[in-house]
Amino acid sequence: MKLVTGLLAAVLLLAGVGASHAVVRIGEDRGGRIGTYVDKYQGLRSSGQTVIIDGLCASACTIVLGAVPHDKICVTSHANLGFHAAWDFGANGRAVTNPEATQMLYSMYPPAVKRWITARGGLTPHMIFLHGKQLMSMYKPCYLDAQASSH
């Protein structure tokens, strides 16, 4: 019986270790439909995984900032977040800003990101990029080389 209890404890310990080191890397994600990303990131939030932003995360991809807890997100020196107003296809097939969806998108962002967006004129049809020192001041850095060498 002690052996079974010991094995069960070891399995649970190893399962916990595996889950705590699980990561999702985002890079070169140009976004897409808001609903798709909301669903995707709700699952990611509940998984407890850490998100590494290592490259472009634009448009709907940036929903990750509001969906995943701040302490579960880190950024590399390559991280580059792109923000713009939400849009739909108009009657003639052209992109038309959707004010309701834009407000919903904006409301998902954490306060520091909202302040940064507002200081640059808000969400408009033109993409604005958050990267470098400004981004690193809002999110903890992640060091991919250090993580890779520790395994």
Side-chain angles (χ1 to χ4, degrees), residues 51-132:
V51 174
I52 297 172
I53 302 175
D54 181 36
L56 181 65
C57 174
S59 192
C61 176
T62 61
I63 293 170
V64 71
L65 302 177
V68 173
H70 190 270
D71 66 335
K72 292 289 187 179
I73 297 174
C74 68
V75 295
T76 72
S77 59
H78 302 290
N80 188 12
L81 303 176
F83 302 89
H84 66 85
W87 57 273
D88 290 318
F89 287 110
N92 60 0
R94 288 185 144 157
V96 177
T97 299
N98 180 325
E100 295 83 16
T102 299
Q103 182 55 42
M104 182 185 78
L105 188 61
Y106 180 80
S107 73
M108 293 180 190
Y109 297 131
V113 174
K114 285 181 184 177
R115 285 190 297 273
W116 183 88
I117 291 169
T118 300
R120 280 146 191 84
L123 295 174
T124 71
H126 304 285
M127 188 83 72
I128 55 173
F129 293 96
L130 173 59
H131 53 88

Side-chain angles (χ1 to χ4, degrees), residues 13-23:
L13 180 65
L14 289 174
V17 168
S20 67
H21 291 295
V23 297

